[in-house]
């Protein structure tokens, strides 16, 4: 059975974790809204992920809201035994008004409230990694990140990250607090944030690509990606994941699924070692 140990590791603070995580965005209902359609299956998937070596779980207060957090608490708490070394990242700064509706809110008192609710719904005393889900353009960044830095100083947050940012925003944030991770859209079909990834690698910042398995037209029959997938007896999505892992040692993909078979396929991708030529052929795709 393939486990995520093949992907290598990353370390933040006192925790070392395998370089393939699990994103919980698909566990709530349609539109990332409401309860899971099958909570029992969701808990099975979470537990199986740990069995397969996944020890990084990425969530957000906005997923549900709180659906993913509560499912993780039900599955993992009190975080002992097989669940002792789980590393949890979550996010604050997005409000929800309904399915597929997201509105940034960076008011310091709101961010503090949401961190406290994350702690409660996850059943933890401190959050391993807390992302500002989106920078609210209506609120000064120093007020938003400054409040999260206060909570870090209080011991409620261990590491801070930013989501969907450009380099100037990241550099401005670094003047306020130490930034350990960035979570941006990045995959084989959308590499518009290549410069952010390069910056993260140069500064030893963990880069978490969301929507990592996107292949789009690149996976069509006869395409370069499909031919490479056939060569490795893998799916295009598995090759896309293997490509991300080879792209940077700071890369931490977090593919999500509510399907046990898909979960196993994602983990199996960590055993695929692309040749330099195949890696470059995919890198050259547009």
């Amino acid at each position: 059975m393939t486990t995520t140990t093949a992907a290598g590791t990353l370390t933040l603070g006192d925790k070392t974790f395998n370089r393939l995580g699990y994103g919980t965005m698909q566990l709530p209902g349609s539109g990332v809204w409401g309860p899971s359609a099958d909570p029992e299956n969701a808990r099975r998937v979470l537990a199986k992920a740990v069995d397969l070596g996944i020890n990084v779980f990425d969530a957000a207060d906005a997923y549900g809201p709180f659906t993913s957090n509560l499912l993780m608490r039900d599955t993992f708490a009190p975080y002992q035994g097989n669940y002792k070394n789980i590393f949890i990242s979550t996010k604050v700064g997005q409000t929800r008004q309904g399915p597929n509706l997201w509105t940034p809110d960076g008011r310091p008192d709101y961010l503090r409230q949401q961190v406290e609710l994350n702690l409660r719904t996850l059943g933890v005393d401190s959050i391993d990694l807390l992302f500002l889900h989106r920078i609210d353009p209506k609120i000064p960044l120093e007020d938003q990140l400054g409040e999260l830095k206060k909570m870090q100083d209080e011991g409620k947050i261990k590491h801070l990250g930013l989501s969907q940012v450009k380099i100037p925003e990241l550099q401005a944030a670094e003047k306020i607090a130490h930034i350990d991770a960035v979570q941006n859209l990045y995959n084989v079909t959308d590499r518009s944030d290549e410069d952010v990834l390069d910056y993260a690698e140069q500064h030893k910042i963990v880069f978490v690509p969301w929507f990592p398995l996107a292949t789009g037209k690149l996976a069509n029959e006869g395409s370069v990606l499909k031919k490479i997938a056939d060569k490795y007896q893998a799916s295009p999505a598995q090759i896309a994941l293997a490509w991300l892992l080879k792209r940077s040692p700071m890369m931490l993909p977090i593919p999500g699924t509510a399907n046990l078979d898909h979960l196993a396929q994602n983990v199996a991708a960590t055993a695929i070692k692309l040749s330099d030529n195949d890696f470059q052929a995919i890198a050259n795709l547009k």
Side-chain angles (χ1 to χ4, degrees):
M1 179 177 67
T2 303
T3 68
T4 60
T5 55
T9 61
L10 283 167
T11 300
L12 281 180
D14 61 354
K15 285 194 175 182
T16 296
F17 41 85
N18 294 326
R19 208 162 57 91
L20 181 76
Y22 175 86
T24 64
M25 191 175 182
Q26 293 190 35
L27 296 184
S30 178
V32 203
W33 182 256
S36 170
D38 189 344
E40 184 177 342
N41 176 70
R43 290 189 288 269
R44 280 198 300 267
V45 170
L46 289 167
K48 185 62 176 179
V50 175
D51 290 342
L52 293 172
I54 292 174
N55 47 16
V56 177
F57 290 82
D58 180 78
D61 60 349
Y63 295 172
F66 296 111
T67 298
S68 296
N69 283 11
L70 293 169
L71 286 167
M72 286 197 291
R73 186 185 68 184
D74 291 348
T75 305
F76 301 144
Y79 302 95
Q80 298 298 318
N82 290 342
Y83 307 133
K84 183 178 181 179
N85 296 316
I86 284 175
F87 184 99
I88 293 179
S89 70
T90 188
K91 312 175 197 71
V92 296
Q94 291 265 49
T95 61
R96 301 300 306 279
Q97 297 77 46
N100 293 315
L101 297 173
W102 312 74
T103 304
D105 188 339
R107 291 172 298 151
D109 55 349
Y110 177 75
L111 296 178
R112 176 170 286 270
Q113 168 188 288
Q114 295 308 105
V115 171
E116 294 288 359
L117 288 172
N118 268 288
L119 290 167
R120 184 186 304 176
T121 53
L122 286 167
V124 298
D125 296 324
S126 182
I127 294 167
D128 293 315
L129 173 60
L130 191 284
F131 287 96
L132 181 59
H133 206 161
R134 290 293 185 273
I135 294 175
D136 184 345
K138 303 184 299 297
I139 307 291
L141 178 59
E142 54 267 28
D143 292 348
Q144 299 175 66
L145 199 55
E147 189 66 26
L148 299 181
K149 176 65 168 60
K150 289 178 185 176
M151 300 195 78
Q152 184 181 38
D153 294 340
E154 293 164 12
K156 295 178 179 179
I157 301 167
K158 293 179 181 175
H159 303 280
L160 289 171
L162 298 171
S163 181
Q164 211 51 46
V165 293
K166 299 299 184 182
I167 289 177
E169 294 170 319
L170 178 52
Q171 290 174 327
E174 289 178 310
K175 296 177 182 178
I176 303 166
H178 182 75
I179 303 299
D180 277 309
V182 170
Q183 186 169 146
N184 275 24
L185 174 64
Y186 186 87
N187 51 57
V188 294
T189 67
D190 188 338
R191 286 171 259 161
S192 55
D193 282 344
E194 197 91 52
D195 60 335
V196 181
L197 171 57
D198 289 339
Y199 182 93
E201 184 173 335
Q202 292 164 10
H203 294 82
K204 303 301 180 186
I205 297 170
V206 176
F207 187 91
V208 183
W210 61 270
F211 203 26
L213 299 184
T215 56
K217 294 180 180 179
L218 298 182
N220 288 347
E221 196 66 40
S223 68
V224 171
L225 184 61
K226 183 63 168 63
K227 289 177 180 177
I228 292 175
D230 292 344
K231 175 181 174 180
Y232 289 86
Q233 297 183 317
S235 70
Q238 287 177 310
I239 295 301
L241 190 52
W243 186 89
L244 287 175
L245 289 168
K246 188 176 176 68
R247 170 63 182 81
S248 171
M250 299 307 295
M251 188 81 75
L252 176 63
I254 51 165
T257 179
N259 182 286
L260 285 167
D261 289 337
H262 291 165
L263 173 65
Q265 291 166 19
N266 291 341
V267 172
T270 64
I272 299 171
K273 304 303 178 186
L274 294 175
S275 69
D276 291 342
N277 285 342
D278 288 335
F279 173 84
Q280 193 57 50
I282 296 170
N284 291 338
L285 295 175
K286 301 294 183 182

